[in-house]
Amino acid sequence: MNKVASFTVNNRRALIFIFLFLSATGFYLVNKIPQGVFPDATFPRIAVMVDYGLTPIKEMEMEVAKPIEEAVMMVEGVQRVRSSISRGSAEINIDFQWNADMFQSYQLVQAQVSGIQSELPAGVTLEVRRFTTSTYPVAGYSLYSDNENLLQLRDIAVYTLRPQLAAIPGVYNVEVMGGKEREFRVELDADKLPAYQMDYNEIARAIQENNSLNYVGRLEEFNKLYLNIADNRYQKMSEIENTIIRNQGETPIRLKDVAKVISSVKETFIACESNQHPAVLITIIKQPGTNAVSIMKAVDEKLAELKPVLPEDVNMSKWYDMTRFIRSSIKNVRDSILIGAFLTMLILLIFLRRLRITLVTVIIIPVAVMISFIFIKITGMNLSVMSLGGLAAAIGILVDNAIVVVENIERHLEMGKTRNQAVMEATGEIIAPLLSATLTTLVVLVPLVFLTGVPGIFFKALALTLTLAIVASMLLAVFLTPAVAVTFISTKKRKPGKMMARIVNAHQKTLKFGLKTPVTAYLLIVVTVVASIYLFKRIPSGFLPLWDEGTIVLDYLAPPGSSVDGTRTMLKTITDYLPSIPEVEDYSLRTGRSLAHPRTHANDGDFVINLKQDRTRSAFEIMDELRNLIEQKEPNLSPEIFQVLPDRLNDLSGEIAPVVVKVYGKNLETIQQVAAGIADSLENIDGVVDIYPGFEAGEPELTIRIKPEAVARFGLTPQTVNDAIYMALWGTETTRVMEGIKLIPVRMRYPYKYASHFEQIETLPLYFPEIKRTVALNEIADVKKVLGKTDIEHENLSQVVNIEAQISGRDLGSTAADIQQLLHDQHLPPGVTVQLSGQYESQQQAFSELLLILVLAALIIFIILLFEFKTFRTALAILIGTALSVSGVFLFLWLSDTTLDISAFMGMIMIIGIVVNNGILLIDYTEKYLKENPSIPEALLMASRVRLRPILMTTLSSIFGFIPLAFAIGEGAEMLKPLAISMIGGMSLSMIFSLFVIPVLYQSFNGKKVKEEILLEVKEEV
């Protein structure tokens, strides 16, 4: 090791230049790294989206969804297949194992779906989707106006804004929601059709044939080649009206003779609103692996350029911007890094009492951070709260190795050695324990890279960044710190500090007492273990940390069968109330669809509420306020209120809601009854809110059942009648008319006067040229109003009802315990089973993995200690003292009322790898001293005297490095708060166990055995 130290001192200028160059490179690359709210990841989930018009639910289930489910179940690696089936649509989610190759799985699912496409009914459209952290919108804008109508606003969005925004690099999709779309409507006069003995099929054919464009060869003339085109396309509406259907003798019968052609809009069951105005909404989806912040900057710049092109009375507002949270959270973590670095420097300055040597130590922080950015870029990570959180968590740890090196250099200088001699000898002496200490930290972090699920997505980036930073700090401590120290460190003698001398004397007295009466250490261990068990049972537990991102989603469900207008009438209470909430900046409203799902019922939809950054109340308080409002003013509405990003994580990982109770059974009616009873009981559990029983009453339907005998008597077929009814009530698209860059459909149907009431539909006149007469619908069919089927859900081909709920004002662990007790007390019918799922299931899986990693890390550390110290007794003494530090985690979590979640558990694991370094430094010096003096108490006291200052410095610098994260100031900072509190708690108590319990255990475990081994080793060396 002395050769390494000598190399460093002799080549100090080259080494300093190399590290300066690497720092400059990292500083340059930091702006080239994509920024995101989460680390980029592909989730093990693939969805098959099915659209089949307005097909009834039962037919969707049996003819469409079930064959697809059976096909995708055969794909390798499938863990679970979940289906949600509603009228005319289905979403089939295939969950894979977390280690699956999702690109290959995506191809296999596509192959299976393509293979059964021919077996599905004609008209079924399928779309296979992958899920990544870039699947959902990063921003949303609204267009509204007091003068422009929704048709004009949608045209502006589709034909002016979307092409320009889609051309921005990194933009994957620009989706336009709401507004009106133009169409030409041909309204047939049912009374005139019999007079001309003409049916709708003849009219449709005439319209199609008259609106045609055909290639009819080429003409070569005078050395020019012409393309011959027969262009009979409609140019204006009057041409449609004058379409000749047929000639009656010499008199042409035109379309206007039997129908009225009007310029109209498509019938839609979706409505959007923004800031109390009917609006058109635009959402931006980015490509995976791109920089959301730079993309949104380009989008905003482009919209500013396009603003003069828009009509003056068109207003544009931004109702959602995920990059605001990204920028804010990254800024807050960056500030935590800077504050942590400053506090660390302050601690070092207090202990070292020299500015120059303090700067020599802390120079490692910016250099290690910049070098870490190089590796972040190379490994393809993005800058997120978690990757930067790894650097923030490393701030206090980065200087640990440098502190030990500098403190040892100081000690050698105090012995009267020259600067070069002190640096070389001190560095060479300390490299071996530094390597061992660093290795013990790394072996704890490396297993975290293999975490699965959402914890893996979150903490792989943090663990990897922290690992890179610690490796960089080790290399810097060995090569940069001595190189800088030999140039800048002062050789002037200093007076010993009175405060440090008092601390050393107090510790020496305490340790002497402990070594003479080891029962005190054992009593402390027992008290610590008992207190830890007591505190562990009283700490609230959760899954992910709760954070305030500043955006609220309010999903709502109106009574079944509510029309779009009827639903919006109920929503008026909310839309009128939102502007009165001082924290609300903007909002958008969708009815008939939601932000995440393109198709829902007309009684379903959501609000996205954007809160101001400068506000006094949290998003959670405003969510509770909205719940109370709806409960008091609109009890018929069923709300579900949450934040965008936690719900997005739930959706990506296949979780429906924080609380999900699954009810399985073969009889749908029975399991719905059980689910309704459980949902009612959940109302009595404190903290459970927004309860959805897993189903709602079916939407009302108007069933038209053909009478076979009557149809046969008229010489017709049921399909002929069904086609005629479809045309009359819904309409048939016959052709399209091109106007500039727009394709406007031409829809043929009956006027609304024939289908605006039930009685009118009963007597709907249908003309059939086959029998040359008009038949009223009730002559050939029974028309009834009935209650439709409820939506259906499957899991692994079995029927299931998923009861969903949110949690407010309470932790997940205690809430889940109450729900488990409730389910245990249920008396279930035969064949019905229930299961608690959602975040509770994910929490249990994550905690199991983290506990396994904790045990594995402890075992690996024990092995390293065996290599280092060669005896089980010494390794066990250090490991016990280290493990006791975990009690500090429980204590500080309890004192701060912080939830034990995966972030806090991560801190618990890191404690083991970091705190063990103190024991290594202390016992390493002890055994070196024993070679000169075989008295164990004397060796332990000497080691404690020498190592007390570096142990205090490294521990306190780490603690103060975490303090800014523990205060969690600003948006997004809450993600790392539990980890920081865990680290502060564990390291605070670790000083007691490292400096008192480990020495006492070392003496108790070794005794005369060490003396004999040390004396034998000394004799062999002699």
Side-chain angles (χ1 to χ4, degrees):
M1 297 300 177
N2 289 328
K3 290 183 179 179
V4 175
S6 177
F7 171 82
T8 301
V9 171
N10 294 333
N11 296 277
R12 56 185 178 274
R13 293 179 182 85
L15 289 170
I16 291 172
F17 178 79
I18 288 170
F19 287 119
L20 284 175
F21 173 74
L22 291 174
S23 300
T25 304
F27 183 78
Y28 169 77
L29 289 176
V30 69
N31 292 319
K32 306 293 181 183
I33 302 171
Q35 297 178 25
V37 64
F38 301 129
D40 272 333
T42 298
F43 284 74
R45 177 184 164 205
I46 293 172
V48 180
M49 313 300 290
V50 185
D51 189 1
Y52 190 22
L54 295 172
T55 304
I57 291 175
K58 198 62 183 175
E59 285 67 25
M60 281 295 302
E61 179 188 24
M62 302 306 297
E63 297 179 14
V64 181
K66 210 158 189 178
I68 297 174
E69 290 173 15
E70 291 170 350
V72 298
M73 279 288 286
M74 293 186 286
V75 174
E76 183 182 355
V78 169
Q79 200 168 31
R80 180 177 57 179
V81 175
R82 298 173 292 116
S83 300
S84 179
I85 306 159
S86 58
R87 184 187 297 167
S89 67
E91 182 176 336
I92 299 161
N93 291 289
I94 306 107
D95 297 327
F96 289 82
Q97 297 167 359
W98 278 93
N99 59 356
D101 181 344
M102 290 312 298
F103 183 73
Q104 182 186 29
S105 300
Y106 177 70
Q107 291 177 317
L108 292 173
V109 170
Q110 278 189 318
Q112 287 293 98
V113 170
S114 299
I116 64 158
Q117 178 89 54
S118 59
E119 301 174 18
L120 301 177
V124 173
T125 59
L126 304 173
E127 180 189 358
V128 182
R129 292 182 181 176
R130 290 174 64 192
F131 285 86
T132 69
T133 45
S134 302
T135 299
Y136 299 104
V138 292
Y141 299 84
S142 62
L143 293 176
Y144 57 90
S145 172
D146 293 327
N147 299 318
E148 305 289 333
N149 60 41
L150 290 173
L151 177 62
Q152 293 165 321
L153 289 175
R154 185 174 177 90
D155 282 350
I156 291 170
V158 172
Y159 299 109
T160 302
L161 300 181
R162 183 162 66 180
Q164 295 290 326
L165 298 179
I168 295 173
V171 172
Y172 174 72
N173 188 26
V174 179
E175 186 178 8
V176 177
M177 292 179 276
K180 301 291 185 182
E181 294 182 70
R182 191 178 170 199
E183 73 175 10
F184 291 115
R185 188 172 297 159
V186 177
E187 295 188 341
L188 300 179
D189 190 329
D191 298 326
K192 291 182 178 180
L193 293 178
Y196 291 102
Q197 295 185 0
M198 185 180 296
D199 80 327
Y200 71 93
N201 286 315
E202 185 179 357
I203 298 170
R205 282 193 301 271
I207 294 173
Q208 291 169 357
E209 291 168 359
N210 278 274
N211 186 46
S212 61
L213 176 69
N214 296 298
Y215 158 69
V216 291
R218 290 181 179 272
L219 168 67
E220 185 173 352
E221 182 182 52
F222 305 119
N223 294 325
K224 285 189 178 180
L225 187 64
Y226 297 86
L227 177 64
N228 301 336
I229 299 173
D231 189 353
N232 299 309
R233 292 174 295 177
Y234 294 129
Q235 302 294 323
K236 49 190 177 180
M237 194 171 72
S238 61
E239 293 182 3
I240 303 174
E241 293 177 315
N242 288 306
T243 299
I244 296 175
I245 309 300
R246 72 161 114 100
N247 287 326
Q248 194 161 328
E250 294 184 358
T251 305
I253 302 173
R254 300 181 184 276
L255 182 59
K256 64 183 178 181
D257 296 329
V258 294
K260 185 179 181 181
V261 181
I262 58 173
S263 179
S264 183
V265 294
K266 288 183 180 180
E267 194 170 9
T268 181
F269 300 98
I270 295 174
C272 297
E273 180 182 311
S274 180
N275 300 327
Q276 296 188 304
H277 290 83
V280 173
L281 306 181
I282 302 170
T283 57
I284 311 294
I285 300 175
K286 76 178 189 74
Q287 295 173 351
T290 52
N291 192 333
V293 174
S294 62
I295 289 170
M296 285 312 305
K297 182 180 178 184
V299 167
D300 286 335
E301 289 173 355
K302 180 58 69 175
L303 290 174
E305 287 177 22
L306 294 171
K307 181 66 176 173
V309 179
L310 305 181
E312 291 184 4
D313 58 339
V314 172
N315 298 299
M316 182 184 297
S317 68
K318 185 189 289 185
W319 48 266
Y320 176 57
D321 185 359
M322 188 177 72
T323 61
R324 187 187 80 169
F325 178 72
I326 294 172
R327 292 192 303 269
S328 176
S329 57
I330 288 178
K331 173 184 173 295
N332 293 329
V333 176
R334 182 201 65 196
D335 292 346
S336 295
I337 291 174
L338 295 175
I339 296 169
F342 173 76
L343 292 175
T344 299
M345 187 180 80
L346 200 61
I347 289 295
L348 297 180
L349 189 59
I350 291 170
F351 275 93
L352 296 174
R353 296 183 297 114
R354 293 186 188 182
L355 181 61
R356 190 181 292 183
I357 196 169
T358 300
L359 293 176
V360 168
T361 308
V362 298
I363 197 173
I364 272 189
I365 294 176
V367 176
V369 168
M370 290 301 117
I371 292 175
S372 297
F373 285 136
I374 297 175
F375 288 104
I376 289 173
K377 179 67 175 176
I378 291 172
T379 55
M381 288 192 292
N382 64 357
L383 283 185
S384 64
V385 175
M386 302 316 293
S387 57
L388 276 179
L391 294 179
I395 287 301
I397 303 170
L398 291 178
V399 293
D400 285 1
N401 291 330
I403 286 171
V404 175
V405 171
V406 167
E407 198 277 338
N408 212 36
I409 291 172
E410 278 277 287
R411 194 169 59 82
H412 279 261
L413 285 172
E414 289 169 3
M415 295 178 185
K417 297 177 182 177
T418 64
R419 182 186 293 167
N420 280 20
Q421 186 183 10
V423 169
M424 283 192 288
E425 290 183 11
T427 304
E429 181 182 287
I430 210 72
I431 286 176
L434 277 187
L435 285 173
S436 179
T438 303
L439 188 59
T440 56
T441 304
L442 294 181
V443 296
V444 169
L445 295 174
V446 170
L448 291 168
V449 177
F450 300 100
L451 271 175
T452 62
V454 173
I457 298 295
F458 264 73
F459 290 106
K460 276 180 185 176
L462 186 145
L464 185 57
T465 308
L466 189 55
T467 300
L468 295 172
I470 290 173
V471 170
S473 74
M474 172 63 202
L475 295 173
L476 292 169
V478 173
F479 293 104
L480 180 62
T481 300
V484 175
V486 80
T487 306
F488 296 104
I489 202 167
S490 173
T491 56
K492 291 181 181 178
K493 292 187 178 180
R494 59 174 181 175
K495 295 179 181 179
K498 294 181 181 179
M499 180 60 69
M500 193 64 219
R502 289 173 186 167
I503 294 172
V504 170
N505 290 334
H507 176 252
Q508 289 284 297
K509 291 177 182 177
T510 305
L511 185 56
K512 281 179 183 177
F513 174 76
L515 294 173
K516 289 179 181 177
T517 56
V519 68
T520 55
Y522 288 108
L523 184 62
L524 178 61
I525 292 171
V526 172
V527 170
T528 301
V529 172
V530 172
S532 297
I533 295 170
Y534 174 83
L535 292 172
F536 175 74
K537 291 181 177 180
R538 283 157 180 77
I539 297 171
S541 69
F543 180 45
L544 290 174
L546 295 176
W547 65 84
D548 183 347
E549 68 182 77
T551 306
I552 296 171
V553 178
L554 192 162
D555 271 356
Y556 59 85
L557 195 63
S562 300
S563 65
V564 171
D565 290 338
T567 302
R568 294 189 65 177
T569 300
M570 285 184 271
L571 297 174
K572 196 171 187 309
T573 302
I574 303 173
T575 57
D576 288 345
Y577 186 78
L578 284 174
S580 69
I581 301 176
E583 292 85 0
V584 172
E585 187 169 7
D586 291 289
Y587 80 86
S588 66
L589 162 63
R590 282 150 296 280
T591 303
R593 71 154 296 161
S594 65
L595 186 65
H597 300 283
R599 182 171 172 178
T600 59
H601 299 294
N603 65 325
D604 196 358
D606 64 14
F607 288 83
V608 175
I609 303 165
N610 190 29
L611 303 180
K612 296 174 183 175
Q613 286 188 295
D614 185 18
R615 51 191 158 87
T616 55
R617 292 192 300 169
S618 71
F620 305 104
E621 293 174 289
I622 297 166
M623 288 158 69
D624 287 335
E625 180 181 347
L626 290 171
R627 284 191 184 99
N628 294 332
L629 170 74
I630 294 170
E631 185 179 354
Q632 294 171 11
K633 299 293 182 66
E634 284 295 342
N636 288 328
L637 278 180
S638 299
E640 184 182 2
I641 308 176
F642 45 84
Q643 295 189 93
V644 172
L645 296 177
D647 182 65
R648 187 171 295 180
L649 273 178
N650 289 341
D651 198 28
L652 287 169
S653 58
E655 294 171 0
I656 304 171
V659 173
V660 178
V661 178
K662 297 179 179 180
V663 184
Y664 299 95
K666 293 182 179 179
N667 187 291
L668 182 60
E669 186 177 343
T670 301
I671 61 176
Q672 286 180 344
Q673 289 175 353
V674 171
I678 294 173
D680 290 340
S681 301
L682 287 174
E683 297 276 2
N684 301 320
I685 295 179
D686 184 40
V688 179
V689 296
D690 302 344
I691 300 166
Y692 172 61
F695 68 97
E696 55 175 324
E699 293 184 326
E701 293 179 353
L702 194 70
T703 62
I704 301 170
R705 186 168 180 81
I706 305 300
K707 302 174 184 176
E709 297 84 358
V711 169
R713 189 168 61 249
F714 283 113
L716 302 172
T717 65
Q719 188 59 51
T720 302
V721 176
N722 285 339
D723 291 344
I725 297 170
Y726 180 84
M727 181 282 303
L729 300 181
W730 182 247
T732 304
E733 186 177 310
T734 58
T735 189
R736 293 187 176 190
V737 177
M738 184 179 291
E739 279 193 3
I741 60 173
K742 303 175 189 175
L743 276 175
I744 303 172
V746 178
R747 180 176 295 276
M748 183 175 63
R749 59 165 296 165
Y750 277 9
Y752 287 112
K753 68 178 183 178
Y754 290 104
S756 57
H757 295 289
F758 175 73
E759 292 77 13
Q760 292 172 336
I761 292 178
E762 274 192 311
T763 58
L764 184 71
L766 301 172
Y767 176 73
F768 297 100
E770 299 92 331
I771 57 176
K772 296 183 179 180
R773 63 162 289 182
T774 299
V775 179
L777 182 57
N778 57 9
E779 292 183 66
I780 54 176
D782 292 321
V783 185
K784 293 180 182 178
K785 289 181 179 178
V786 299
L787 187 64
K789 301 286 186 182
T790 62
D791 289 358
I792 299 171
E793 293 188 335
H794 290 173
E795 185 171 316
N796 293 337
L797 303 177
S798 298
Q799 288 184 136
V800 64
V801 174
N802 292 302
I803 307 166
E804 304 169 24
Q806 299 286 324
I807 298 174
S808 177
R810 195 178 176 193
D811 69 291
L812 175 64
S814 62
T815 306
D818 287 351
I819 296 173
Q820 288 278 40
Q821 185 61 48
L822 168 68
L823 298 179
H824 181 266
D825 295 339
Q826 291 289 314
H827 299 288
L828 302 175
V832 176
T833 57
V834 295
Q835 176 190 342
L836 178 59
S837 184
Q839 284 190 353
Y840 171 74
E841 190 177 32
S842 299
Q843 180 210 44
Q844 295 302 301
Q845 181 183 348
F847 277 19
S848 297
E849 288 186 5
L850 289 167
L851 184 61
L852 181 63
I853 288 172
L854 180 63
V855 172
L856 180 64
L859 287 174
I860 296 174
I861 287 172
F862 186 71
I863 293 169
I864 292 172
L865 292 173
L866 285 175
F867 274 107
E868 175 76 13
F869 298 105
K870 308 295 188 296
T871 67
F872 282 99
R873 294 183 178 89
T874 302
L876 191 61
I878 296 173
L879 188 62
I880 290 173
T882 300
L884 290 171
S885 301
V886 173
S887 62
V889 175
F890 300 140
L891 177 62
F892 275 59
L893 289 176
W894 179 71
L895 290 173
S896 61
D897 194 27
T898 302
T899 302
L900 176 61
D901 52 29
I902 58 174
S903 179
F905 214 128
M906 176 85 170
M908 198 186 307
I909 294 171
M910 288 170 58
I911 282 291
I912 300 294
I914 293 169
V915 168
V916 70
N917 297 341
N918 296 337
I920 291 173
L921 285 174
L922 186 68
I923 301 304
D924 176 74
Y925 193 90
T926 299
E927 297 202 339
K928 285 180 181 175
Y929 188 83
L930 282 171
K931 293 178 181 179
E932 301 173 6
N933 188 336
S935 170
I936 290 181
E938 215 175 294
L940 287 168
L941 289 168
M942 176 57 71
S944 298
R945 189 178 298 117
V946 172
R947 294 301 190 208
L948 178 62
R949 187 171 70 163
I951 288 174
L952 288 177
M953 287 168 65
T954 55
T955 304
L956 289 175
S957 64
S958 296
I959 289 172
F960 276 80
F962 278 105
I963 283 177
L965 291 176
F967 280 101
I969 301 170
E971 291 180 345
E974 301 96 330
M975 293 186 192
L976 298 169
K977 179 181 176 180
L979 182 145
I981 291 174
S982 294
M983 293 296 295
I984 291 171
M987 286 187 289
S988 297
L989 266 65
S990 74
M991 289 185 283
I992 298 173
F993 300 117
S994 298
L995 296 170
F996 182 76
V997 173
I998 289 179
V1000 174
L1001 290 178
Y1002 180 83
Q1003 176 184 261
S1004 300
F1005 287 0
N1006 288 283
K1008 296 180 180 180
K1009 179 78 175 174
V1010 170
K1011 290 183 188 178
E1012 293 170 1
E1013 290 178 354
I1014 296 294
L1015 289 172
L1016 182 62
E1017 190 176 330
V1018 170
K1019 287 178 182 178
E1020 287 176 352
E1021 288 179 0
V1022 172

